[in-house]
Amino acid sequence: MKVFYLIILLSCVSVSLCLGQRKMDVSIIEKEMVIPREAGDDETVVFITSPLNLDFESTMDKFVDVYEKSEESPMVIYKLKFSTLPRHNGRKLKISSPNFETLSYDLNLKAKIPLFLMIIDPNGTIGLTCFQEYRNKGNKLYLDGLYEDAKVEYQNALACDDGPEESDIAQKMEDVYNCTTSKRKADELFNDKSWIDAKHEYEKTLALNANDTHCQNRIDQCNEYVGETPRQIKGKIVDNEGNPLIGVKIEAEYLKVNKKGQIETDKNGSPKKGYKSVGTTNPDGTYAITVLNKSKFLKFSKGNVLSQEAYYYSGTTVEITNDAMDIALSGKVTIKGVSDGFVEVTKVISEGTSDIKKELK
């Protein structure tokens, strides 16, 4: 007796309860077979072929009778026996596999008529159509950052006779081209030590393929190298009246490291920071200092000037936002024998192309 079934692809109907799980696809396959002798008069057998490790539950049976399981590499064949009595109409077979959503399938069974199912990972490479197989191979290579190899597999998919009239291959080929172009340009800039521009190009690739570990690692390297790159900052320091201040001490922020070269942290795990002297202002109040890009703040301070009138200057800490910064240090004058209140005010006279944030110390 021959039983013929149309090949019908069915998507799984279960809703994902856990983000990140993949879906299984089930299809009815055409098969020639005599009535299984294992089936009684009111029973039938369901044959399930899959490359996956499967478990089964039924909505109308205490357990699913998997009476035989065999391997025909790379496939596993499961033989399930079910009652076909009327009280079992509407039975659903729940199929599960690690890392996949549970698939719920309606079993409309008839006595003595076997059912043959194929269950696959639609994003795998086993048990698929020619188009699906090459497309999925291309997807795997794309995620691994092997864009030229992915391109070959996408071209193979397009050459398959069983491909759909409309597919996403054209978009994937465009993504391959864009990733290849930006990644190649980024590598060239990286080799030329243009760290900032290289990072920008690597980010273009990651915007299309966040799994590209080469680009991820190179961005980390760019950030490290940019931080170790020196930059020059210049400007002028004056007092409240606009008079230049000589000898203003300038310190740059740095991360503290131990003798082993490891960054020191506090009890909360945050990096410990300190300040190192990088220069002082000239007689005309100007300064030109060199700091590392990873330094984010500068500290300006000046000692007291004592005479009949004592001048006291408040220090300030300023975020580095550009390469030209003019700062005014607030001060007060205390005449001998006179006491007055004092409110510290620090202002930025000129700030180049961006705002400067201040923190009074």
Side-chain angles (χ1 to χ4, degrees), residues 130-131 134-135 150-161:
C130 173
F131 175 84
Y134 283 117
R135 175 186 176 276
K151 179 181 177 180
V152 172
E153 298 301 336
Y154 289 144
Q155 290 172 334
N156 289 337
L158 290 175
C160 292
D161 295 333

Side-chain angles (χ1 to χ4, degrees), residues 142-301:
Y142 178 87
L143 291 176
D144 290 341
L146 303 174
Y147 301 116
E148 291 299 330
D149 293 336
K151 179 181 177 180
V152 172
E153 298 301 336
Y154 289 144
Q155 290 172 334
N156 289 337
L158 290 175
C160 292
D161 295 333
D162 54 12
E165 293 184 5
E166 296 184 3
S167 72
D168 58 357
I169 296 297
Q171 180 61 55
K172 291 182 178 296
M173 294 284 279
E174 182 179 345
D175 290 344
V176 163
Y177 172 80
N178 289 331
C179 285
T180 302
T181 301
S182 57
K183 189 174 183 178
R184 182 185 298 118
K185 184 177 180 179
D187 285 340
E188 292 173 354
L189 290 166
F190 184 90
N191 293 333
D192 289 339
K193 300 182 179 181
S194 300
W195 316 121
I196 295 177
D197 291 337
K199 177 183 176 181
H200 179 65
E201 292 299 325
Y202 286 128
E203 287 173 341
K204 287 184 180 180
T205 301
L206 289 180
L208 295 172
N209 178 19
N211 294 287
D212 194 315
T213 55
H214 174 80
C215 293
Q216 293 171 354
N217 294 334
R218 280 294 175 87
I219 285 179
D220 290 340
Q221 289 179 281
C222 287
N223 288 333
E224 180 180 354
Y225 295 152
V226 168
E228 297 296 335
T229 302
R231 66 185 292 189
Q232 189 177 65
I233 300 173
K234 58 185 178 179
K236 187 174 183 178
I237 309 299
V238 298
D239 63 15
N240 300 58
E241 306 299 326
N243 300 311
L245 291 177
I246 183 176
V248 175
K249 183 180 180 181
I250 308 171
E251 299 171 281
E253 178 193 51
Y254 73 98
L255 296 178
K256 293 183 178 181
V257 296
N258 58 28
K259 293 181 179 180
K260 296 181 179 180
Q262 300 168 328
I263 296 176
E264 296 182 6
T265 57
D266 59 23
K267 62 181 180 180
N268 297 319
S270 300
K272 290 184 177 180
K273 298 180 181 180
Y275 285 85
K276 291 182 178 180
S277 177
V278 290
T280 58
T281 54
N282 302 313
D284 62 354
T286 61
Y287 69 93
I289 59 173
T290 300
V291 300
L292 295 180
N293 262 292
K294 62 184 178 183
S295 294
K296 302 301 181 184
F297 291 90
L298 293 178
K299 183 184 289 185
F300 298 88
S301 61

